[in-house]
Amino acid sequence: LKEESKKEELAQLNLIAGKKAKIATAYETAIKYLGTSLMLLNINSWKNNYDLTLETHIEAAEVEYLNGNFEVSKELGNIVLYYASNLLDKVKIYEIQIQSCMAQNYLQEALEIGITVLNILGVRLPIEPKFHHFLKYFAETNLVLFGKTIEDLAYLSRMTDTYKLAAMQILMLIAPAASMVNSLQFPLAIFAMVRLSVKYGNSSFAAYGYSIYGAIICEKLGDIERGYRFGQLGILLLDKLNATSLKCKVYFVFN
């Protein structure tokens, strides 16, 4: 192929095939398609066909991670972080990097990446949280919830702010890592999810946040009834928001 338009067309077709292979969990096949797509693109593609180049690199980075090729995934991710024109385009790579670190049991690194990204997104968590941070963030969460019944929270408007949605996703990703290293970042991340949901509206991630918030209330405060109702709220939002991808997580937490 000589014409750039033809190369881009074939790159697009390979991207489509790679995404379908990924959905079918045929990761090695997906890598071949996406690798072909990357070869058909060049350094000027970031300027001349930004969306195609961005999506191909992100998909390739994710598939390499899913196939256990962590270093290759990191290299592709770093290319995106260098060339991406805005923060939201970079967020997906940060998500992949967090998941990649967790898969390799680099839990503290996963947590550090998440906290850094959250600070950029406007959600600030202390790097080294102490018990007074727990009390402060818990009090702020209670203040946001004041005057609202748990059942009312199911009828909040939908969250539409793309930066807040990105923050919710990152918070959900780092919560398990924080829990596994026994960090106070775990409850602080959940408190942040609840505050963001009440202030800016519900999202599929809210189902997870409310459920774990209920579990924390049960465990730390012994308020079984209120905690149970927050768990029920999480289950309700799964259906209300059609959050099928989080059903396993939320039901696990609830039970």
Side-chain angles (χ1 to χ4, degrees):
L1 294 177
K2 302 296 183 183
E3 297 176 33
E4 286 302 316
S5 61
K6 295 292 185 183
K7 289 182 180 181
E8 289 180 358
E9 183 182 357
L10 186 56
Q12 181 71 58
L13 291 170
N14 275 277
L15 171 61
I16 293 168
K19 289 167 70 174
K20 288 189 174 184
K22 183 188 76 171
I23 292 170
T25 66
Y27 299 137
E28 289 188 11
T29 302
I31 287 172
K32 291 177 183 177
Y33 283 122
L34 293 167
T36 301
S37 186
L38 288 172
M39 284 191 295
L40 289 162
L41 300 171
N42 57 51
I43 194 69
N44 294 323
S45 297
W46 282 102
K47 184 182 294 183
N48 300 331
N49 201 333
Y50 177 82
D51 291 340
L52 171 62
T53 309
L54 175 70
E55 187 176 8
T56 302
H57 278 79
I58 289 175
E59 289 290 334
E62 184 175 22
V63 170
E64 292 287 6
Y65 141 67
L66 290 169
N67 209 39
N69 301 324
F70 302 118
E71 285 304 315
V72 178
S73 175
K74 187 175 182 179
E75 289 173 10
L76 288 165
N78 287 337
I79 292 172
V80 175
L81 295 179
Y82 182 81
Y83 285 103
S85 60
N86 63 74
L87 177 58
L88 290 178
D89 287 346
K90 298 177 182 181
V91 166
K92 181 60 181 178
I93 290 299
Y94 288 127
E95 292 172 9
I96 293 169
Q97 289 183 346
I98 291 169
Q99 291 170 305
S100 180
C101 286
M102 291 182 67
Q104 299 171 81
N105 207 33
Y106 300 153
L107 302 177
Q108 191 60 45
E109 185 177 341
L111 201 50
E112 289 169 2
I113 293 171
I115 292 168
T116 300
V117 180
L118 286 168
N119 283 336
I120 298 171
L121 288 167
V123 179
R124 308 206 175 276
L125 294 180
I127 296 173
E128 296 182 3
K130 307 296 183 184
F131 187 64
H132 69 86
H133 290 115
F134 174 90
L135 296 176
K136 176 177 179 288
Y137 280 70
F138 184 58
E140 288 177 358
T141 306
N142 278 334
L143 187 62
V144 167
L145 289 168
F146 183 76
K148 299 176 180 67
T149 68
I150 296 172
E151 290 70 27
D152 287 342
L153 299 177
Y155 300 98
L156 295 174
S157 59
R158 293 291 292 267
M159 181 180 285
T160 56
D161 187 315
T162 50
Y163 287 89
K164 297 299 185 290
L165 285 166
M168 290 288 286
Q169 168 81 336
I170 297 293
L171 286 163
M172 187 182 72
L173 286 177
I174 67 168
S179 177
M180 285 186 275
V181 298
N182 199 30
S183 169
L184 277 174
Q185 296 290 9
F186 172 61
L188 298 191
I190 301 305
F191 296 160
M193 291 185 80
V194 172
R195 289 198 307 277
L196 286 172
S197 298
V198 176
K199 286 183 178 180
Y200 300 100
N202 284 329
S203 63
S204 58
F205 311 115
Y208 178 80
Y210 289 136
S211 296
I212 296 196
Y213 184 70
I216 291 172
I217 290 173
C218 287
E219 181 188 359
K220 301 301 182 185
L221 303 182
D223 192 343
I224 306 300
E225 182 182 347
R226 189 161 180 260
Y228 186 80
R229 286 164 61 202
F230 268 107
Q232 288 179 313
L233 172 62
I235 299 293
L236 175 63
L237 286 178
L238 283 177
D239 293 329
K240 190 175 178 64
L241 301 176
N242 195 28
T244 52
S245 63
L246 297 180
K247 195 168 185 178
C248 178
K249 288 178 181 289
V250 174
Y251 269 89
F252 175 77
V253 171
F254 182 72
N255 285 292

